[in-house]
Amino acid sequence: MGLAIRRFWPVVFTAFLCACSSADHSAEVSLLGTEAIVVPRVAINLNPDWKFIRRDVAGAEQPGFDDSGWEPVTLPHTWNNLDGEDGGNDYYRGPAWYRRHLSLPADLGGKSLFLQFDAASSDAMVYINGKLAGPEHTGMFSAFCYDVTPLVNFAGDNIIAVRVSNAKNPNIPPVSADFTFFGGLYRGVRLLALNPLSISPIDDASPGVYVKQMNVTPDHADLQVTSKLRNGGQAQSSVVVTTDFLVSGGSVLQSVTTTASVDAGGNADAVQRLSVDHPHLWNGRKDPYLYHLRVTVNQGTSPVDRVIQPLGIRFFSVDPDKGFFLNGQSYPLHGVNRHQDRLDMGWAIHSKEQQEDFNLIMEMGCTAIRLAHYQHAQEFYDLCDRGGLVVWAESCMVNAVTDSREFDDTAKRQLRELIKQSYNHPSICFWSLYNELRITKEKDQTVGDIKPMIDHQIALVTELNNEAHQLDSTRLTTAATLIPEGGNRLNMITDVIGFNRYYGWYSDNIGAWPGKLDALHAAIPGRALCISEYGAGASIFEHELDPKQPKTNGVWHPEEWQNIVHEAAYKAMKDRPYVWGAFLWNMFDFASDGRAEGDHLGRNDKGMVTYDRKVKKDAFYFYKANWSDEPVIYITDRRFTPRNVGEGPVKVYSNCDTVELKLNGVSLGTMPGDDCVFVWPDVLLVRGKNRIEAAGTRGGENYSDAITIDYDPGAMPMLPRDSATRPSNVDGNIGGSPHRPH
């Protein structure tokens, strides 16, 4: 059956730190100093060996159903990886089925079995041997877990059948959004085998251990550790819960032990407190130091369960005038938004893709990330913990609220799952409740007609805000709004607020940024604000040396205009410390199947990197020069070749002190930069090949970049969208044919 059984065998602690993901909500090892201890918790990887069909099938949950004609698939899997990105706006949204056989190892007798899904889009009904494992799970992005012990045949074959649907459902947020809703079991599935006495995996599929940080200063930190205990046995049992505080090398700094009684078939909380003097603080990218807490449940003298969770001790605040502070020090938050999909993969990505995305974000020099517009994989939050990125974690209520109790209940549960499943990640500082909620008045409606809808929105967001504070009083709530800043009650509910603003793209012009920011700040005095989205579209195939603001819904999205928008926007925000965060939209191009603009149907092209992650656009290097400690010198417009314009500016992004430019071996002079932008305004190319070189010095070291541009006055205009004749190699100097707007 292709089972991958993961037992918690002894390994070195450093391997644990690298390999253990909280997606499993447990650690694979535990250590006391250098002594490894085997723990009887088993995780069986169920990703291989599924059968799939993309339609509804009567009786598919039954064990004797014939699925021999179904497609074999391995998880993660989506059925929209191609039709969800092709721009047809008719990608399949409906039901599908997955089935899998499962024979259990002989030594699992007496264990409690739990079936855990990391996500299913967007509602899932899970059957074991023809019987429902539990209530239908609704929501595209959170994990869920069922106790399947009474349904499983320990000695023979078992059938797991899952009906998943991404059909439009007004009771499941988001009801609409500017991204493709990829369907399927697009994250992993596992079977957990636990002793009857254990830490519970079914408290909203959380790790079952919650570490609350209190009274944190550089001198001291108080911790409260709540472990959710369960007893699947037939008799009341007494357990001993030991929590070990581990330093990064794996040694135990301190321990606390508590005795608890758990009723038969019942649950109990073990609440413990630890105090740490002079903690080594988690300090963002400067020093993302991680402790770990190891919680062991003992019955008598025998360990029956163990979970390890990350612990990054830190404190933070936001000042309405001075911005974000981490551990008492100003720590400017500048970064990106991220969607999780990939070219030809949709949401069904693996660890390799998660790591590559993270590496690119780190390379650009980000200090923060908004993981929009939904809960991302736990593995990515793990990466942010270890790398030091401050995280804005977001629930998935986008655009609109449906006037139904079911919608409200689902929105609350999704927020609860996000917070519980992600509670222990030190990187997360903000819980975001929604993105761009708005109500559009129809032609014949009056203000009185829409007032109940507005009141419902405000009531629901208020409930969500209260729920977030009740679940986690240590973090700030936020939201991303598109509506005007002043006088709107919706903008005033959360602790802090973010504004999605696209001056120079959807509205106004690039020169509007300073005045608009100041007006925004003045309109809500005393309220901390950030810019949660800003940016512009860009095609790596479309170029214009002196670009004009394009039509956003047109096919012409020259890369150079994206550069200009980001230069203006970031300069305005950087000079205004009251903007506590600047999150550009977006790190990567992504699928939005209803779009018909730019050089690809079905794509939002505002990314710093192309959808396939193969090409870093020019603007990537603008931010890398401004944000990264790594020396940068990069000549822009390198894909504008051949070009039919012989005279124009040459722009270089660099964090060198000064930069000298040469054309065909002749120096054009040395320039100082402005926010890492160096421009030589009127450079005259010769017909044919032109060698452009840039050289600069930083910290006593020399750095350089060079490109070759072919000037051909007769170069043809830009090729049509998605033309088969378009050059495929766009990584260096080749890639765009030119270069005049339609």
Side-chain angles (χ1 to χ4, degrees):
M1 296 293 101
L3 297 184
I5 301 177
R6 304 173 67 189
R7 297 181 184 274
F8 298 179
W9 301 115
V11 295
V12 296
F13 189 79
T14 52
F16 155 70
L17 291 178
C18 295
C20 176
S21 167
S22 63
D24 288 64
H25 300 315
S26 56
E28 299 204 1
V29 301
S30 63
L31 296 161
L32 183 61
T34 57
E35 177 187 0
I37 305 170
V38 177
V39 178
R41 176 179 268 228
V42 177
I44 300 176
N45 181 348
L46 299 184
N47 289 343
D49 303 322
W50 290 85
K51 291 293 193 71
F52 168 76
I53 191 167
R54 199 185 75 169
R55 60 183 174 87
D56 212 355
V57 180
E61 77 278 7
Q62 295 303 320
F65 182 86
D66 181 10
D67 60 15
S68 59
W70 291 16
E71 177 187 357
V73 298
T74 297
L75 306 185
H77 176 263
T78 178
W79 57 74
N80 299 121
N81 58 306
L82 299 180
D83 70 343
E85 66 179 28
D86 63 4
N89 201 25
D90 58 353
Y91 64 97
Y92 180 75
R93 296 194 64 182
W97 280 88
Y98 296 85
R99 283 171 53 92
R100 190 193 197 282
H101 290 262
L102 173 64
S103 295
L104 297 174
D107 61 352
L108 295 188
K111 298 281 189 182
S112 298
L113 301 182
F114 298 87
L115 189 59
Q116 186 178 63
F117 294 78
D118 287 339
S121 178
S122 59
D123 59 88
M125 300 180 69
V126 179
Y127 299 85
I128 306 294
N129 298 324
K131 297 181 180 179
L132 271 172
E136 178 183 21
H137 184 266
T138 53
M140 303 180 193
F141 307 106
S142 54
F144 54 100
C145 186
Y146 299 115
D147 183 349
V148 297
T149 311
L151 303 178
V152 168
N153 178 4
F154 280 81
D157 187 36
N158 296 274
I159 293 292
I160 304 172
V162 187
R163 184 188 185 274
V164 185
S165 175
N166 68 336
K168 296 178 181 179
N169 188 330
N171 295 325
I172 303 176
V175 292
S176 68
D178 185 16
F179 56 87
T180 298
F181 294 174
F182 294 93
L185 296 178
Y186 69 90
R187 293 184 188 149
V189 178
R190 68 191 58 78
L191 187 74
L192 299 177
L194 309 182
N195 283 317
L197 280 169
S198 71
I199 295 168
S200 175
I202 56 173
D203 186 43
D204 285 310
S206 74
V209 173
Y210 301 93
V211 185
K212 183 177 182 179
Q213 302 186 34
M214 304 175 295
N215 307 317
V216 179
T217 71
D219 298 320
H220 185 82
D222 294 324
L223 307 174
Q224 177 180 287
V225 183
T226 301
S227 300
K228 313 293 285 189
L229 306 176
R230 58 166 290 276
N231 182 358
Q234 301 298 312
Q236 183 185 59
S237 294
S238 178
V239 297
V240 176
V241 180
T242 299
T243 295
D244 297 318
F245 186 99
L246 307 176
V247 299
S248 63
S251 60
V252 177
L253 186 63
Q254 61 174 291
S255 297
V256 61
T257 297
T258 302
T259 300
S261 179
V262 192
D263 291 339
N267 300 279
D269 289 354
V271 180
Q272 301 169 307
R273 289 177 172 82
L274 299 92
S275 294
V276 185
D277 289 329
H278 307 292
H280 189 153
L281 297 177
W282 186 92
N283 201 29
R285 291 196 60 163
K286 298 175 183 177
D287 183 12
Y289 184 87
L290 288 178
Y291 297 101
H292 285 79
L293 288 182
R294 180 178 65 203
V295 180
T296 304
V297 179
N298 295 278
Q299 189 174 21
T301 59
S302 301
V304 292
D305 198 16
R306 181 171 285 129
V307 165
I308 295 179
Q309 287 294 291
L311 171 61
I313 299 176
R314 79 287 183 270
F315 61 99
F316 57 89
S317 62
V318 177
D319 185 280
D321 297 313
K322 299 178 182 178
F324 184 81
F325 286 74
L326 179 61
N327 301 326
Q329 302 296 317
S330 176
Y331 190 79
L333 296 184
H334 48 251
V336 297
N337 288 263
R338 179 212 183 215
H339 271 303
Q340 63 186 357
D341 56 307
R342 279 283 185 116
L343 181 68
D344 298 339
M345 299 178 72
W347 289 340
I349 62 176
H350 303 80
S351 293
K352 174 180 175 290
E353 288 77 36
Q354 303 278 12
Q355 185 70 61
E356 184 179 17
D357 279 8
F358 182 77
N359 291 346
L360 286 165
I361 292 164
M362 293 292 281
E363 180 190 344
M364 204 166 76
C366 299
T367 59
I369 186 168
R370 177 181 175 221
L371 293 176
H373 294 301
Y374 40 76
Q375 181 174 333
H376 287 232
Q378 289 297 315
E379 182 177 8
F380 203 84
Y381 300 112
D382 291 337
L383 292 170
C384 294
D385 292 343
R386 296 196 292 266
L389 281 184
V390 171
V391 172
W392 162 317
E394 188 155 285
S395 193
C396 58
M397 196 161 68
V398 182
N399 287 357
V401 168
T402 301
D403 187 17
S404 74
R405 178 62 182 268
E406 291 84 356
F407 180 94
D408 291 4
D409 289 344
T410 305
K412 293 172 189 175
R413 181 179 47 74
Q414 289 180 330
L415 177 65
R416 186 176 71 243
E417 290 171 336
L418 167 67
I419 292 175
K420 285 188 173 184
Q421 291 168 20
S422 312
Y423 189 92
N424 296 326
H425 292 291
S427 56
I428 297 175
C429 294
F430 303 94
W431 299 122
S432 178
L433 307 185
Y434 64 84
N435 176 73
E436 293 189 0
L437 287 186
R438 52 197 159 178
I439 292 175
T440 303
K441 188 172 73 171
E442 301 296 333
K443 180 179 180 182
D444 297 325
Q445 283 183 319
T446 66
V447 173
D449 294 328
I450 65 173
K451 185 178 185 301
M453 293 185 282
I454 296 173
D455 291 343
H456 179 208
Q457 274 191 355
I458 291 171
L460 177 56
V461 172
T462 300
E463 289 184 51
L464 293 172
N465 194 58
N466 293 338
E467 177 79 358
H469 286 146
Q470 183 175 356
L471 289 169
D472 181 8
S473 61
T474 71
R475 292 180 172 95
L476 299 173
T477 57
T478 190
T481 183
L482 190 65
I483 55 183
E485 52 274 11
N488 192 293
R489 290 179 291 163
L490 196 62
N491 287 351
M492 308 304 288
I493 297 170
T494 54
D495 297 327
V496 296
I497 190 67
F499 290 90
N500 296 349
R501 293 293 186 259
Y502 287 91
Y503 310 128
W505 187 246
Y506 292 122
S507 67
D508 297 281
N509 55 67
I510 57 172
W513 272 100
K516 291 286 188 178
L517 288 175
D518 290 339
L520 184 62
H521 183 49
I524 47 175
R527 184 138 175 79
L529 67 93
C530 79
I531 298 300
S532 39
E533 292 181 23
Y534 67 99
S539 166
I540 60 172
F541 302 106
E542 299 171 356
H543 298 281
E544 187 177 2
L545 279 187
D546 185 21
K548 307 299 184 294
Q549 187 167 339
K551 293 181 179 180
T552 59
N553 60 354
V555 298
W556 184 250
H557 287 182
E559 187 175 5
E560 289 74 15
W561 185 254
Q562 183 187 59
N563 299 345
I564 289 173
V565 169
H566 281 285
E567 290 166 21
Y570 180 65
K571 179 178 178 59
M573 285 182 277
K574 180 180 70 69
D575 292 339
R576 287 163 172 78
Y578 61 75
V579 179
W580 62 258
F583 300 86
L584 68 88
W585 189 267
N586 194 287
M587 184 62 195
F588 307 105
D589 292 349
F590 60 92
S592 183
D593 203 53
R595 282 185 175 253
E597 62 187 50
D599 65 23
H600 282 80
L601 293 170
R603 187 169 303 176
N604 190 314
D605 63 356
K606 297 184 185 70
M608 299 292 98
V609 179
T610 54
Y611 195 22
D612 58 9
R613 275 57 167 182
K614 290 184 178 179
V615 181
K616 302 167 188 173
K617 300 181 188 178
D618 286 353
F620 176 98
Y621 292 95
F622 166 72
Y623 285 108
K624 184 175 180 179
N626 274 281
W627 294 347
S628 174
D629 292 332
E630 180 182 340
V632 175
I633 186 164
Y634 174 85
I635 304 170
T636 68
D637 309 309
R638 60 185 57 210
R639 285 173 284 275
F640 190 175
T641 184
R643 66 178 65 168
N644 50 13
V645 178
E647 184 175 1
V650 172
K651 182 186 295 182
V652 174
Y653 293 145
S654 180
N655 51 20
C656 290
D657 300 324
T658 58
V659 175
E660 181 186 18
L661 192 75
K662 291 182 179 180
L663 174 64
N664 299 319
V666 177
S667 177
L668 301 183
T670 298
M671 289 280 188
D674 181 13
D675 290 317
C676 300
V677 181
F678 299 76
V679 179
W680 288 259
D682 299 303
V683 175
L684 183 62
L685 304 180
V686 299
R687 186 186 293 264
K689 303 294 183 183
N690 291 264
R691 176 76 169 175
I692 301 175
E693 301 170 87
T697 302
R698 184 171 187 248
E701 298 291 332
N702 297 322
Y703 302 94
S704 63
D705 187 28
I707 63 172
T708 299
I709 297 296
D710 185 11
Y711 168 45
D712 177 4
M716 298 297 293
M718 176 183 116
L719 295 173
R721 184 199 337 253
D722 294 329
S723 169
T725 60
R726 173 175 287 147
S728 60
N729 176 11
V730 295
D731 225 342
N733 296 331
I734 303 173
S737 283
H739 306 299
R740 292 289 192 190
H742 292 188

